[in-house]
């Protein structure tokens, strides 16, 4: 009915606004007053034990931005900044306009907006908090296949924005970037996307720009081990402020799509270890069937090849190391020679990166069949504190 209404009435048939809208009265409506979809009205709470934007499904639009404190700015300025940012994020994620609004998102609901804040290692010394660097916030080692652009890496402060509407996402980015002044200035910024909710007949795991179903074997919130794998338990010492937080590894990974597209589908499937169309493991079954890494095909070969990405990355191959992958695809146009500048804004969440991304990437670096088709071009690691309680700002337990 919803699609029929939109098709029948066309844009002229939409009524925007009207009394009774859940979020400031602005919901796209058909002539009869019914909301066309629930996309605009969906709100993800800003407050809670964990920050939003970690376990929620990845939204259709994402922006990542890193900032550095300006010379002379320290803890006092950082406190004021985190208060400003938290206040604006709280308002926008609830579908309210922030202070000094520019009206870019005025007639939209919250659209599942999440804003997630993190601190890089370089933040702590500048803020006079060197003694509170959490032990898990290590310096990221270099890997042999890295081609890292340092100007587009690291940073004192990080913001991850996700929303199911492009204007709502941009609006949040612009408001927060403006509010960074005078304490901090932009260091790097990246834009990403995923499938739009409702684009598929039923919700399913997203596809990446190589065409693979990506995210199948992620830890699930219903798993017993999930919280211990993804969220930090701060303990009593210098790390206590990270209780309920997580560590985000951010890697901008270019896909070498011209080479990838030359591989026949069957070879592409052997590189990953899963069927491209269905996402089912090459050992058999459907997308959700557990992978049988020991299965031998009738010809005597391993059903999931020795260098298949899912074999080399699997927790079983890495002493149980696990992470929650929740990324965005990116496409920044084409290079002058016609090469697509596109790939994955890979974001991995874990309780301890040394027992998550770093362990798995060390293994992938040497023996992953996928590595010939990708290039890691940016890298960052952030400590993402737990979610703010009502009345608190993000990071208050570190900065107070
Ligand atoms: C699984 C793609 C980079 C860790 C997968 C799967 C695909 C995929 C298609 C199978 C479906 C799934 O379970 O999600 C890619 C692409 C990458 C990339 C296209 C780069 C552009 C990485 C990196 C890491 C990683 C850098 C970590 C260092 C994993 C893990 C799994 C996985 C842990 C699950 C393995 C399992 O237990 O089955 N990836 N991946 N991936 N990937 Fe990646």
């Amino acid at each position: 009915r919803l699609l029929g209404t939109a098709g029948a009435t066309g844009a002229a048939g939409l009524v925007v606004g009207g009394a009774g809208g859940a979020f400031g009265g602005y919901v796209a409506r058909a002539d009869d007053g019914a909301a066309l979809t629930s996309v605009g009205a969906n709100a993800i709470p800003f407050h809670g034990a964990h920050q939003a934007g970690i376990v929620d499904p990845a939204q259709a639009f994402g922006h990542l931005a890193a900032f550095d404190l300006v010379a002379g700015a320290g803890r006092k300025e950082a406190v004021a900044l985190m208060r400003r940012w938290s206040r604006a994020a709280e308002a926008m994620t609830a579908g309210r306009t922030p202070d000094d609004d520019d009206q870019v998102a005025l007639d939209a609901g919250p659209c599942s907006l999440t804003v997630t804040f993190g601190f890089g290692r370089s933040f702590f010394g500048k803020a006079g908090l060197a003694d509170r660097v959490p032990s898990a916030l290590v310096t990221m080692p270099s890997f042999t296949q890295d081609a890292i652009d340092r100007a587009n890496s690291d940073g004192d402060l990080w913001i991850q924005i996700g929303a199911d509407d492009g204007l709502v996402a941009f609006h949040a980015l612009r408001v927060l970037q403006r509010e960074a002044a005078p304490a901090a200035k932009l260091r790097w910024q990246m834009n990403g996307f995923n499938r739009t909710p409702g684009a598929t007949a039923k919700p399913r795991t997203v596809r990446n720009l190589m065409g693979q179903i990506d995210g199948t074997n992620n830890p699930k919130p219903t798993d017993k081990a999930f919280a211990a794998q993804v969220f930090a338990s701060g303990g009593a010492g210098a790390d206590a402020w990270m209780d309920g937080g997580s560590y985000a590894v951010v890697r901008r990974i270019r896909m070498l799509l011209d080479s990838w597209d030359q591989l026949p589908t069957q070879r592409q499937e052997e590189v990953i270890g899963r069927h491209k169309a269905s996402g089912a493991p090459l050992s058999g079954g459907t997308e959700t069937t557990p992978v049988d890494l020991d299965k031998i095909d009738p010809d005597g070969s391993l059903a999931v090849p020795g260098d298949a990405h899912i074999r080399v990355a699997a927790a079983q191959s890495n002493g149980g190391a696990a992470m929650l992958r929740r990324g965005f695809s990116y496409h920044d146009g084409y290079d002058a020679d016609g090469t697509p500048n596109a790939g994955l804004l890979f974001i991995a969440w874990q309780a301890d990166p040394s027992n998550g991304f770093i362990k798995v990437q060390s293994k992938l670096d040497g023996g992953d069949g996928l590595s010939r088709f990708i290039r890691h071009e940016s890298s960052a690691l952030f400590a993402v504190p737990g979610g703010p309680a009502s009345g608190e700002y993000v990071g208050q337990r570190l900065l107070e």
Side-chain angles (χ1 to χ4, degrees), residues 44-126:
I44 298 177
F46 179 68
H47 300 109
H50 312 297
Q51 288 194 62
I54 302 174
V55 291
D56 320 285
Q59 299 93 328
F61 298 88
H63 297 301
L64 310 181
F67 297 81
D68 286 336
L69 290 175
V70 300
R75 183 165 173 176
K76 187 165 139 262
E77 291 74 17
V79 168
L81 174 58
M82 294 312 296
R83 276 187 200 282
R84 270 198 307 281
W85 272 353
S86 299
R87 187 179 153 81
E90 181 185 355
M92 292 187 288
T93 51
R96 299 195 310 270
T97 49
D99 302 338
D100 299 326
D101 191 40
D102 50 23
Q103 307 192 340
V104 170
L106 202 56
D107 35 22
C111 297
S112 301
L113 174 68
T114 57
V115 181
T116 321
F117 298 97
F119 299 100
R121 258 186 88 87
S122 54
F123 172 79
F124 293 83
K126 294 180 192 174

Side-chain angles (χ1 to χ4, degrees), residues 208 210 212-218 253 255 272 274 291 309-310 313-316 323 325 344 346 357 360-361 364 370 374 376:
N208 62 34
M210 287 176 150
Q212 305 136 357
I213 292 185
D214 196 345
T216 302
N217 219 357
N218 254 332
I253 308 179
M255 293 173 172
I272 293 295
R274 287 182 177 272
V291 185
H309 181 68
I310 62 164
Q316 305 93 290
M323 72 201 92
R325 294 164 288 125
L344 183 64
F346 174 94
F357 174 84
V360 175
Q361 182 56 24
L364 289 173
L370 183 61
I374 61 176
H376 290 239

Side-chain angles (χ1 to χ4, degrees), residues 226-400:
F226 182 83
Q229 287 169 338
V230 176
F231 294 115
S233 47
D239 297 4
W241 66 272
M242 271 299 286
D243 203 36
S246 186
Y247 293 86
V249 171
V250 181
R251 308 278 286 189
R252 185 179 189 277
I253 308 179
R254 187 196 281 243
M255 293 173 172
L256 308 180
L257 291 176
D258 285 338
S259 315
W260 177 252
D261 289 346
Q262 279 169 21
L263 269 197
T265 305
Q266 193 195 329
R267 281 287 302 121
Q268 294 183 343
E269 294 177 333
E270 287 163 3
V271 164
I272 293 295
R274 287 182 177 272
H275 290 288
K276 206 172 165 187
S278 65
L282 296 185
S283 50
T286 65
E287 186 195 344
T288 50
T289 307
V291 185
D292 178 0
L293 292 175
D294 298 327
K295 184 171 178 193
I296 305 288
D297 277 342
D299 68 359
S301 63
L302 284 164
V304 177
D307 67 347
H309 181 68
I310 62 164
R311 174 186 295 279
V312 185
Q316 305 93 290
S317 312
N318 294 285
M323 72 201 92
L324 176 66
R325 294 164 288 125
R326 183 189 185 276
F328 295 91
S329 292
Y330 75 86
H331 174 223
D332 291 342
Y334 289 80
D335 292 346
D337 64 358
T339 308
N341 186 357
L344 183 64
L345 301 180
F346 174 94
I347 305 169
W349 297 93
Q350 58 253 283
D352 179 358
S354 297
N355 194 32
F357 174 84
I358 295 173
K359 206 178 240 178
V360 175
Q361 182 56 24
S362 306
K363 190 74 160 278
L364 289 173
D365 198 34
D368 180 15
L370 183 61
S371 57
R372 284 188 294 126
F373 302 98
I374 61 176
R375 191 160 67 220
H376 290 239
E377 295 187 338
S378 298
S379 173
L381 170 61
F382 300 101
V384 171
S390 179
E392 240 187 353
Y393 63 89
V394 179
Q396 185 163 331
R397 282 162 252 167
L398 166 67
L399 291 163
E400 68 192 358

